[in-house]
Amino acid sequence: AGTETPVPSLHAPTIAEGTAIREPVRFPEVLRAIRRSDGDMAAIPEDAIATAVRRLAAMGLYAEPTSATAAAAIEVFRDRGAIRPGETTVVLLTGSGLKATPTMTELFG
């Protein structure tokens, strides 16, 4: 939005609860890092997060939904051309599905 502060927005319920932060603690630092690196951001829909959780589990990676959001973003960045064919992309999965047992049970139940 071209501002230095968070833009007011609706915070709908999400399976990736760790992404729904009304006042991010490190917002200015993150924004500066994104701008300095000519980086990008993406909003990931719920169905894409759930798909990423299941896809990662099928590969033996039991990532909780907040963490799986990063894997789901790969598709968005590919579609935008930010990740081009043949490039190597690394996604850090920082949270285990064990910390989101009720949500994971719903997704796999």
Side-chain angles (χ1 to χ4, degrees):
T3 70
E4 299 299 316
T5 57
V7 175
S9 61
L10 297 175
H11 287 272
T14 176
I15 60 172
E17 78 288 339
T19 64
I21 303 169
R22 290 188 190 279
E23 296 181 32
V25 176
R26 300 275 185 254
F27 182 83
E29 294 87 351
V30 170
L31 185 59
R32 279 194 302 273
I34 291 167
R35 288 178 175 163
R36 188 174 52 245
S37 66
D38 196 29
D40 202 352
M41 293 181 267
I44 309 301
E46 290 292 294
D47 60 333
I49 297 168
T51 298
V53 168
R54 291 183 187 103
R55 187 176 64 239
L56 290 166
M59 293 188 288
L61 302 168
Y62 193 57
E64 52 98 13
T66 298
S67 184
T69 301
I74 296 269
E75 299 300 320
V76 172
F77 294 127
R78 265 195 209 131
D79 291 346
R80 289 182 186 173
I83 298 173
R84 292 180 280 290
E87 289 185 328
T88 299
T89 302
V90 176
V91 175
L92 302 177
L93 302 174
T94 59
S96 166
L98 294 174
K99 69 188 254 185
T101 300
T103 302
M104 299 300 273
T105 300
E106 258 184 58
L107 288 172
F108 291 101

